[in-house]
Amino acid sequence: MFKKVLIANRGEIALRINRACRELGVHTVAIYSEADRTSLHVRHADQAFCVGPGPVARSYLNIPNIISTALITGCDAIHPGYGFLSESARFAQICDDHGITFIGPKPSVIAAMGDKATAKRVMSEAGVATTPGTDILASVREAAGAAESIGYPVLLKATAGGGGKGMRAVNVPEELERAYASATAEAEASFKDGRVYMEKLIVRPRHIEVQVLADNYGAIVHLGERDCSVQKPSHQKLIEEAPAANLPAKTRDAVQAMAVRACAHVGYTNAGTLEFLVSGEQIYFMEMNTRIQVEHPVTEMVYNIDLVKEQIRMAAGEPLGYVQGDLRPAGHAIECRINAEDARNNFAPAAGTLEHVVFPGGPGIRVDTHVYSGAAVPPFYDSMIAKVVAFGETRDAAITRMEHALRETVVEGTPTTIGQCLEILATKRFRSGDYDIDFLPSLLHAAPVA
Amino acid sequence: MPEDLSPAGAYPGPPALRVRALAEAFSATDLIRLRIEGPGRDAVELRRSTRVPAASAGAAPVEPESGSPIQIAEVKADLVGILHLGRPAPAEGQEVDAGRELAYVEALGIRNPVRASGSGRIRTVACRDGQAVEYGQVLFEIDRS
């Protein structure tokens, strides 16, 4: 096992990783920006180093300062969390070059999966169904030709993308030029890589993703699926659940088998997630995230497995120690993301001071957060301030618990998504489990939050 | 560098007692400067006196004359690494010119010079040779008045 792990992240996930290290008896080093000086992750780590000013490019993406911190504090591993450097093959390689274990898959696998166009090609080789689409587009003219042959509607996606950034739907040829320009500009601004590719837009699909774990010796298991179809118009997830409601057994078996097959094909190690679009009986591979995900707690609750500890164990060279048949999910878990955002204003992020914060508790409730009364929400980072997770023996029980938990939650100082989440939970469609990725956008369109 | 950032919790009680407890604990260390920020705006900063306490009443510490505010230029680390003081080591009270190399921060095997941000007298040497330093850490204070 590692002696000391540097946590190259901030917010709730930095605390989450710190807790996992504590349970494993591993020392921790936090990094922080000047804007995060009073953040909880700084306080709970064994050591903490400021690595730069607020803007991410100069702090949480500052590879030389992060590596230097790891070296002078004697860390033997770095956990990248999600976002930031978590899917940077270059960073993983640099860690390797300095004799530091990057807690994640091999750099070559991150590179292959991180380039979404390459990932699709590799998945096709593994016999995984992918969405009809193109390689990287060189020009808007090439895009127009591709859209004609695939057939509208189509989706432009950033090859370096994630979190809905650099993604544009194009319904008719007239929209293409403008969508192409804005997708490439947004991708360039977000990822310093403006390259985009095109896919057929699958109408009203469900977003179903499969959690996988693989050790360094070829053992691979899946930990079931999550349904992340409650997405904002920007395609960012808002509510996730495990298992997916009303998913036919045949489809469930198929996505789980595809996920394991894909991992075996690419020689995947550590934790990862394969995202699929499911439309009727059709399954299309969308992308693979080679890191821990925001919504990992719902899987942890139904499988009773600590995924972050498993990540650290696998990276330290421990064998998985169990097989698929040993894994028995039980119950149902739902996660609501509490973001400092104005749901009435297109989920515009809000910064400021959280004057007063009270989080819920009780049986079956888990809150992963880094904020407290008086905490600052700096303008530089993701607007998520907490994840409220509810577990129940049944889906209905989990929903009921979640509703009570959200009503107990108090966040004063910025607008939040709590009201929006409650509104979603109360709808017949969510309760029936019969919803797809158009559900929230159409709900917003039909009845804007009062 | 932050060696222990949790004394706020270790010294509960009224602020005066807390500061006294902190000062005693601080004296027992070889720290030069300790700043503790609470979750709100409250902060406590302790600094080691740069002078030997006066043994007699005749050697009172020099106070700045009223009406002439001190102009302090802070010299900060702009990257994370190991600090090495220049040779000879900069000393408190020493006059330096702007741009003079006072130390260097070694990071990833590269020497990154730390230079005086203005000419004046070194008021505080807030770092030790061989110490790990973080981004933005104050290394020297230069009295420019």
Side-chain angles (χ1 to χ4, degrees), chain A residues 229-279:
Chain A
S229 304
V230 179
Q231 299 181 0
K232 297 185 283 189
S234 60
H235 302 284
Q236 288 165 318
K237 299 162 186 170
L238 188 62
I239 299 178
E240 302 96 342
E241 60 181 310
N246 308 337
L247 192 66
K250 190 179 147 201
T251 309
R252 171 170 290 143
D253 292 347
V255 287
Q256 293 174 348
M258 272 185 205
V260 172
R261 200 159 67 230
C263 287
H265 179 72
V266 300
Y268 197 82
T269 51
N270 217 274
T273 297
L274 287 97
E275 298 188 333
F276 298 92
L277 293 177
V278 174
S279 178

Side-chain angles (χ1 to χ4, degrees), chain A residues 212-222 260 263-264 267-270 314 318-324:
Chain A
V212 291
L213 263 181
D215 69 14
N216 297 347
Y217 315 102
I220 305 168
V221 293
H222 70 77
V260 172
C263 287
Y268 197 82
T269 51
N270 217 274
M314 300 299 102
E318 291 188 16
L320 198 53
Y322 43 85
V323 295
Q324 194 65 55

Side-chain angles (χ1 to χ4, degrees), chain A residues 336-359:
Chain A
C336 286
R337 299 194 190 189
I338 313 300
N339 302 334
E341 289 174 353
D342 188 353
R344 296 175 221 188
N345 182 19
N346 208 17
F347 297 94
T353 301
L354 301 174
E355 305 294 348
H356 185 54
V357 176
V358 181
F359 285 115

Side-chain angles (χ1 to χ4, degrees), chain A residues 32 48-50 52 65 68-69, chain B residues 2 37 39 79-80 82 108 134-135:
Chain A
Y32 64 99
F49 275 72
C50 182
N65 274 357
S68 182
T69 303
Chain B
E37 293 179 6
L79 76 175
V80 179
I82 300 292
L108 306 178
E134 63 178 356
Y135 175 88

